[in-house]
């Protein structure tokens, strides 16, 4: 049984608890497909705080809450007092009096930790600059579905390693005993403190962790290749020039996929810049002449890409996260 009130970062979870959440997600997914209702949290209310934009995370929390019998209230980046006229600590104490759970997407990890400390209700991290734990559950469920196991899986993450996705893949792979390769320029590797923490976790779990600047070494015989955007939400547009320079050799394309196992899958948390059909993608093309960024169109649309399975799994894993933590917290 999961003994956690919150999900702030998977660093706080044991490997067994992560696996348990993934297994619970699988069960809830099967029930949903069969039309078996699971309104285990009937009558509870949750609030979804989004200081940054979202399609998947917001929709997953809203649909999951409804499937569990709960009501969800969405608060966007404007319209509430939070952060402007009211501190996070005060906001936490107000929301905790009205809601049974709080989701937060925004900037500093400290903010989600402050909500957990002062609200007195379960809090879930829907993405901060530092971590994206609910995304990890979806990604590792997707790997499990396609590969049948997690331990020993050869996983290469290409690109920006020092932000939420890069940090979170490192933590989760260390916890679950993968053969994990962070592939990108040194400047964009996770910070030394996190690297050391994860290397210590790996010693206990049997994970193998490699940091490399060599794309061929990184991709070699991999079961899974993943990437993320080169400039994340909340970062300045001025970062594009530097990132393009640093990360163009790490674009996931047919050549990179060619070094991986022939049955390798491709993951991306989305949204992704893989063609010119987005406003930002077009702007970057006009300025820098690249028509695909972190992944090209061929790989994104190709048979190895499982990005929409991964997107769907956000729903099932977020549902499992709310259910498990609320069951523990409310002793249900
Ligand atoms: N992957 C992810 O978190 O997507 P959204 O930004 O759409 O929520
Ligand atoms: N690194 C990305 C992830 C989006 C889901 C960002 O923070 O924008």
């Amino acid at each position: 049984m999961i003994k956690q009130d919150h999900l702030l970062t998977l660093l706080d979870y044991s490997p067994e608890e992560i696996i348990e959440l993934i297994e619970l997600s699988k069960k809830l997914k099967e029930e949903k497909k069969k039309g078996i209702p699971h309104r285990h949290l009937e009558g509870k209310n949750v609030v979804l705080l989004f200081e940054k934009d979202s399609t998947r995370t917001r929709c997953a929390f809203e649909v999951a809450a409804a499937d569990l019998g709960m009501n969800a209230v969405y608060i966007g980046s404007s319209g509430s007092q939070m952060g402007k006229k009211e501190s996070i600590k005060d906001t936490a104490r107000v929301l905790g009096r009205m809601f049974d759970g709080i989701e937060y997407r925004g900037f500093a990890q400290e903010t989600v930790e402050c909500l957990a400390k002062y609200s007195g209700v379960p809090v879930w991290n829907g993405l901060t600059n530092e971590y994206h734990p609910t995304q990890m559950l979806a990604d590792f469920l997707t790997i499990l579905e396609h590969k049948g196991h997690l331990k020993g899986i050869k996983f290469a993450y290409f690109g920006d390693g020092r932000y939420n996705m890069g940090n979170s893949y490192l933590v989760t792979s260390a916890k679950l005993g993968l053969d994990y390769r962070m592939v990108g320029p040194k400047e964009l590797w996770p910070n030394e403190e996190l690297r050391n923490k994860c290397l210590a976790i790996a010693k206990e779990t049997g994970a193998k962790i490699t940091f490399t600047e060599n794309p061929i070494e990184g991709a070699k015989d991999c079961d899974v290749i993943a990437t993320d955007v080169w400039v994340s939400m909340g970062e300045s547009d001025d970062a594009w020039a530097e990132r393009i320079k640093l990360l163009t050799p790490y674009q996931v394309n047919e050549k990179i996929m060619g070094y991986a196992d022939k049955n390798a899958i491709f993951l991306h948390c989305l949204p992704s810049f893989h063609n010119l059909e987005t406003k930002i993608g077009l702007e970057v093309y006009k300025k820098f002449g690249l028509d695909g960024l972190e992944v090209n169109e061929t790989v994104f649309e190709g048979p190895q890409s499982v990005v929409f399975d991964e997107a769907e799994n956000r729903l099932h894993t977020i549902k499992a996260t709310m259910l498990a933590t609320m069951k523990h917290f409310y002793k249900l």
Side-chain angles (χ1 to χ4, degrees):
M1 280 291 284
I2 285 172
K3 292 192 176 56
Q4 300 279 349
D5 296 333
H6 312 288
L7 175 54
L8 307 180
T9 157
L10 286 175
L11 278 171
D12 301 334
Y13 278 56
S14 68
E16 293 73 27
E17 284 175 322
I18 300 173
I19 296 293
E20 197 181 323
L21 274 183
I22 293 172
E23 290 298 332
L24 179 59
S25 311
K26 258 172 71 179
K27 179 172 169 271
L28 291 165
K29 181 172 181 175
E30 276 163 27
E31 286 181 2
K32 174 126 178 146
K33 303 272 174 202
K34 288 185 187 148
I36 301 169
H38 35 242
R39 300 175 68 86
H40 305 303
L41 299 171
E42 190 84 56
K44 295 217 176 290
N45 289 282
V46 293
V47 63
L48 313 178
L49 299 177
F50 281 83
E51 292 191 315
K52 290 177 179 169
D53 292 340
S54 168
T55 298
R56 278 144 289 270
T57 310
R58 174 187 177 173
C59 295
F61 269 98
E62 293 210 20
V63 174
D67 286 354
L68 290 168
M70 297 196 286
N71 178 52
V73 171
Y74 172 81
I75 298 183
S77 61
S78 67
S80 86
Q81 311 282 16
M82 181 167 139
K84 292 170 284 247
K85 279 175 73 180
E86 197 156 36
S87 66
I88 305 300
K89 190 170 161 183
D90 292 356
T91 306
R93 288 178 290 179
V94 172
L95 295 176
R97 297 293 182 104
M98 299 191 194
F99 293 97
D100 305 299
I102 300 173
E103 180 275 355
Y104 172 79
R105 161 171 290 201
F107 298 86
Q109 181 71 13
E110 276 168 17
T111 306
V112 78
E113 281 164 9
C114 182
L115 289 168
K117 188 164 172 197
Y118 291 104
S119 65
V121 297
V123 171
W124 310 291
N125 178 355
L127 178 146
T128 57
N129 294 349
E130 289 86 349
Y131 296 111
H132 198 3
T134 63
Q135 181 74 52
M136 289 304 110
L137 299 171
D139 287 26
F140 284 78
L141 171 60
T142 310
I143 298 170
L144 185 63
E145 288 174 338
H146 284 272
K147 295 286 158 199
H149 69 286
L150 294 173
K151 218 175 169 71
I153 284 283
K154 297 187 184 74
F155 182 126
Y157 171 69
F158 273 69
D160 179 7
R162 43 95 263 157
Y163 221 65
N164 40 34
M165 288 300 294
N167 288 342
S168 300
Y169 277 137
L170 172 60
V171 169
T172 318
S173 298
K175 292 260 177 182
L176 298 184
L178 274 74
D179 173 349
Y180 179 72
R181 301 108 188 251
M182 161 68 230
V183 192
K186 258 199 182 75
E187 296 92 319
L188 299 176
W189 288 358
N191 68 46
E192 199 180 344
E193 189 190 339
L194 186 66
R195 293 206 306 270
N196 288 339
K197 213 179 259 184
C198 291
L199 288 169
I201 296 170
K203 268 202 186 130
E204 283 174 26
T205 62
K208 189 176 164 207
I209 310 273
T210 309
F211 299 95
T212 177
E213 294 195 296
N214 183 333
I216 301 171
E217 183 196 350
K220 201 166 169 5
D221 302 330
C222 265
D223 303 300
V224 183
I225 299 221
T227 187
D228 183 25
V229 290
W230 290 346
V231 176
S232 286
M233 289 184 282
E235 294 198 281
S236 158
D237 282 349
D238 297 343
W240 276 111
E242 187 225 14
R243 295 290 161 72
I244 285 174
K245 199 163 139 220
L246 283 172
L247 289 171
T248 298
Y250 300 96
Q251 182 196 61
V252 178
N253 49 36
E254 305 87 295
K255 199 166 154 223
I256 294 292
M257 292 305 289
Y259 295 112
D261 183 77
K262 66 177 191 333
N263 296 316
I265 54 170
F266 169 72
L267 293 179
H268 191 311
C269 64
L270 307 181
S272 159
F273 298 118
H274 54 93
N275 61 25
L276 304 182
E277 292 170 22
T278 64
K279 191 167 162 273
I280 296 178
L282 197 58
E283 278 167 19
V284 172
Y285 174 71
K286 283 185 186 148
K287 223 166 155 191
F288 301 97
L290 299 174
D291 59 5
L293 295 173
E294 71 275 5
V295 54
N296 73 357
E297 182 75 346
T298 312
V299 170
F300 187 92
E301 293 294 353
Q304 289 168 289
S305 172
V306 296
V307 297
F308 297 107
D309 292 347
E310 183 186 359
E312 178 193 327
N313 283 339
R314 300 299 308 288
L315 168 64
H316 311 299
T317 46
I318 280 172
K319 192 184 289 176
T321 302
M322 288 197 287
L323 181 57
T325 50
M326 288 178 99
K327 264 179 111 167
H328 178 254
F329 185 87
Y330 293 107
K331 303 187 175 41
L332 300 173

